[in-house]
PDB file of all heavy atoms in Angstrom:
ATOM      1  N   ALA E 706     103.659  80.133 102.101  1.00  0.00           N
ATOM      2  CA  ALA E 706     103.936  80.732 103.411  1.00  0.00           C
ATOM      3  C   ALA E 706     104.870  79.880 104.261  1.00  0.00           C
ATOM      4  O   ALA E 706     105.551  80.411 105.151  1.00  0.00           O
ATOM      5  CB  ALA E 706     102.628  80.976 104.148  1.00  0.00           C
ATOM      6  N   LEU E 758      94.841  84.397  87.927  1.00  0.00           N
ATOM      7  CA  LEU E 758      95.719  84.605  89.077  1.00  0.00           C
ATOM      8  C   LEU E 758      95.264  83.839  90.313  1.00  0.00           C
ATOM      9  O   LEU E 758      96.086  83.249  91.022  1.00  0.00           O
ATOM     10  CB  LEU E 758      95.807  86.108  89.386  1.00  0.00           C
ATOM     11  CG  LEU E 758      96.789  86.526  90.477  1.00  0.00           C
ATOM     12  CD1 LEU E 758      98.205  86.047  90.178  1.00  0.00           C
ATOM     13  CD2 LEU E 758      96.768  88.050  90.646  1.00  0.00           C
ATOM     14  N   ASP E 759      93.966  83.831  90.601  1.00  0.00           N
ATOM     15  CA  ASP E 759      93.486  83.127  91.793  1.00  0.00           C
ATOM     16  C   ASP E 759      93.816  81.640  91.723  1.00  0.00           C
ATOM     17  O   ASP E 759      94.291  81.041  92.697  1.00  0.00           O
ATOM     18  CB  ASP E 759      91.976  83.318  91.955  1.00  0.00           C
ATOM     19  CG  ASP E 759      91.603  84.726  92.373  1.00  0.00           C
ATOM     20  OD1 ASP E 759      92.427  85.366  93.060  1.00  0.00           O
ATOM     21  OD2 ASP E 759      90.509  85.187  92.014  1.00  0.00           O
ATOM     22  N   LEU E 762      97.579  81.038  92.234  1.00  0.00           N
ATOM     23  CA  LEU E 762      98.013  81.099  93.632  1.00  0.00           C
ATOM     24  C   LEU E 762      97.566  79.862  94.410  1.00  0.00           C
ATOM     25  O   LEU E 762      98.294  79.360  95.274  1.00  0.00           O
ATOM     26  CB  LEU E 762      97.466  82.365  94.291  1.00  0.00           C
ATOM     27  CG  LEU E 762      97.991  83.693  93.720  1.00  0.00           C
ATOM     28  CD1 LEU E 762      97.345  84.864  94.433  1.00  0.00           C
ATOM     29  CD2 LEU E 762      99.511  83.775  93.818  1.00  0.00           C
ATOM     30  N   ASP E 763      96.365  79.356  94.112  1.00  0.00           N
ATOM     31  CA  ASP E 763      95.899  78.132  94.786  1.00  0.00           C
ATOM     32  C   ASP E 763      96.815  76.958  94.463  1.00  0.00           C
ATOM     33  O   ASP E 763      97.166  76.163  95.342  1.00  0.00           O
ATOM     34  CB  ASP E 763      94.471  77.801  94.356  1.00  0.00           C
ATOM     35  CG  ASP E 763      93.449  78.740  94.973  1.00  0.00           C
ATOM     36  OD1 ASP E 763      93.769  79.375  96.000  1.00  0.00           O
ATOM     37  OD2 ASP E 763      92.325  78.834  94.430  1.00  0.00           O
ATOM     38  N   ASP E 764      97.219  76.832  93.197  1.00  0.00           N
ATOM     39  CA  ASP E 764      98.126  75.749  92.804  1.00  0.00           C
ATOM     40  C   ASP E 764      99.501  75.930  93.443  1.00  0.00           C
ATOM     41  O   ASP E 764     100.139  74.960  93.861  1.00  0.00           O
ATOM     42  CB  ASP E 764      98.267  75.701  91.283  1.00  0.00           C
ATOM     43  CG  ASP E 764      97.063  75.066  90.608  1.00  0.00           C
ATOM     44  OD1 ASP E 764      96.259  74.453  91.321  1.00  0.00           O
ATOM     45  OD2 ASP E 764      96.926  75.186  89.379  1.00  0.00           O
ATOM     46  N   LEU E 765      99.963  77.164  93.509  1.00  0.00           N
ATOM     47  CA  LEU E 765     101.250  77.438  94.138  1.00  0.00           C
ATOM     48  C   LEU E 765     101.230  77.034  95.606  1.00  0.00           C
ATOM     49  O   LEU E 765     102.212  76.507  96.148  1.00  0.00           O
ATOM     50  CB  LEU E 765     101.573  78.927  94.001  1.00  0.00           C
ATOM     51  CG  LEU E 765     102.929  79.413  94.506  1.00  0.00           C
ATOM     52  CD1 LEU E 765     104.066  78.803  93.692  1.00  0.00           C
ATOM     53  CD2 LEU E 765     103.012  80.933  94.438  1.00  0.00           C
ATOM     54  N   ALA E 766     100.097  77.249  96.259  1.00  0.00           N
ATOM     55  CA  ALA E 766      99.972  76.960  97.695  1.00  0.00           C
ATOM     56  C   ALA E 766      99.843  75.469  97.995  1.00  0.00           C
ATOM     57  O   ALA E 766      99.807  75.076  99.166  1.00  0.00           O
ATOM     58  CB  ALA E 766      98.769  77.704  98.263  1.00  0.00           C
ATOM     59  N   LEU E 781      98.075  91.497  94.626  1.00  0.00           N
ATOM     60  CA  LEU E 781      97.705  90.102  94.844  1.00  0.00           C
ATOM     61  C   LEU E 781      96.428  90.014  95.680  1.00  0.00           C
ATOM     62  O   LEU E 781      96.281  90.745  96.663  1.00  0.00           O
ATOM     63  CB  LEU E 781      98.828  89.364  95.564  1.00  0.00           C
ATOM     64  CG  LEU E 781     100.137  89.170  94.800  1.00  0.00           C
ATOM     65  CD1 LEU E 781     101.153  88.452  95.674  1.00  0.00           C
ATOM     66  CD2 LEU E 781      99.899  88.378  93.522  1.00  0.00           C
ATOM     67  N   PRO E 782      95.517  89.126  95.321  1.00  0.00           N
ATOM     68  CA  PRO E 782      94.344  88.916  96.168  1.00  0.00           C
ATOM     69  C   PRO E 782      94.781  88.293  97.495  1.00  0.00           C
ATOM     70  O   PRO E 782      95.787  87.583  97.551  1.00  0.00           O
ATOM     71  CB  PRO E 782      93.490  87.941  95.342  1.00  0.00           C
ATOM     72  CG  PRO E 782      94.452  87.263  94.417  1.00  0.00           C
ATOM     73  CD  PRO E 782      95.513  88.259  94.127  1.00  0.00           C
ATOM     74  N   PRO E 783      94.067  88.558  98.584  1.00  0.00           N
ATOM     75  CA  PRO E 783      94.443  87.974  99.884  1.00  0.00           C
ATOM     76  C   PRO E 783      94.496  86.448  99.809  1.00  0.00           C
ATOM     77  O   PRO E 783      93.594  85.815  99.264  1.00  0.00           O
ATOM     78  CB  PRO E 783      93.327  88.445 100.815  1.00  0.00           C
ATOM     79  CG  PRO E 783      92.727  89.639 100.141  1.00  0.00           C
ATOM     80  CD  PRO E 783      92.857  89.390  98.674  1.00  0.00           C
ATOM     81  N   HIS E 784      95.583  85.884 100.313  1.00  0.00           N
ATOM     82  CA  HIS E 784      95.734  84.430 100.316  1.00  0.00           C
ATOM     83  C   HIS E 784      96.581  84.052 101.531  1.00  0.00           C
ATOM     84  O   HIS E 784      97.738  84.463 101.636  1.00  0.00           O
ATOM     85  CB  HIS E 784      96.426  83.963  99.032  1.00  0.00           C
ATOM     86  CG  HIS E 784      96.199  82.509  98.747  1.00  0.00           C
ATOM     87  ND1 HIS E 784      96.666  81.499  99.579  1.00  0.00           N
ATOM     88  CD2 HIS E 784      95.556  81.890  97.725  1.00  0.00           C
ATOM     89  CE1 HIS E 784      96.327  80.328  99.077  1.00  0.00           C
ATOM     90  NE2 HIS E 784      95.657  80.532  97.945  1.00  0.00           N
ATOM     91  N   PRO E 785      96.020  83.269 102.457  1.00  0.00           N
ATOM     92  CA  PRO E 785      96.739  82.967 103.708  1.00  0.00           C
ATOM     93  C   PRO E 785      98.011  82.164 103.521  1.00  0.00           C
ATOM     94  O   PRO E 785      98.891  82.184 104.391  1.00  0.00           O
ATOM     95  CB  PRO E 785      95.705  82.176 104.519  1.00  0.00           C
ATOM     96  CG  PRO E 785      94.772  81.598 103.486  1.00  0.00           C
ATOM     97  CD  PRO E 785      94.706  82.608 102.395  1.00  0.00           C
ATOM     98  N   ALA E 786      98.141  81.462 102.399  1.00  0.00           N
ATOM     99  CA  ALA E 786      99.289  80.576 102.217  1.00  0.00           C
ATOM    100  C   ALA E 786     100.333  81.136 101.269  1.00  0.00           C
ATOM    101  O   ALA E 786     101.245  80.425 100.853  1.00  0.00           O
ATOM    102  CB  ALA E 786      98.823  79.203 101.719  1.00  0.00           C
ATOM    103  N   ILE E 787     100.247  82.412 100.888  1.00  0.00           N
ATOM    104  CA  ILE E 787     101.147  82.985  99.890  1.00  0.00           C
ATOM    105  C   ILE E 787     101.863  84.201 100.472  1.00  0.00           C
ATOM    106  O   ILE E 787     101.286  85.025 101.169  1.00  0.00           O
ATOM    107  CB  ILE E 787     100.361  83.412  98.627  1.00  0.00           C
ATOM    108  CG1 ILE E 787      99.767  82.181  97.936  1.00  0.00           C
ATOM    109  CG2 ILE E 787     101.256  84.174  97.662  1.00  0.00           C
ATOM    110  CD1 ILE E 787     100.793  81.199  97.417  1.00  0.00           C
ATOM    111  N   ARG E 788     103.151  84.295 100.155  1.00  0.00           N
ATOM    112  CA  ARG E 788     103.951  85.460 100.515  1.00  0.00           C
ATOM    113  C   ARG E 788     104.645  86.001  99.261  1.00  0.00           C
ATOM    114  O   ARG E 788     105.036  85.236  98.383  1.00  0.00           O
ATOM    115  CB  ARG E 788     105.016  85.102 101.568  1.00  0.00           C
ATOM    116  CG  ARG E 788     104.471  84.563 102.873  1.00  0.00           C
ATOM    117  CD  ARG E 788     103.774  85.661 103.678  1.00  0.00           C
ATOM    118  NE  ARG E 788     103.303  85.144 104.962  1.00  0.00           N
ATOM    119  CZ  ARG E 788     102.115  84.583 105.153  1.00  0.00           C
ATOM    120  NH1 ARG E 788     101.275  84.456 104.129  1.00  0.00           N
ATOM    121  NH2 ARG E 788     101.760  84.154 106.346  1.00  0.00           N
TER     122      ARG E 788
END
Side-chain angles (χ1 to χ4, degrees):
L758 186 56
D759 289 330
L762 295 178
D763 287 340
D764 283 347
L765 184 65
L781 293 178
H784 200 296
I787 295 297
R788 300 289 183 271

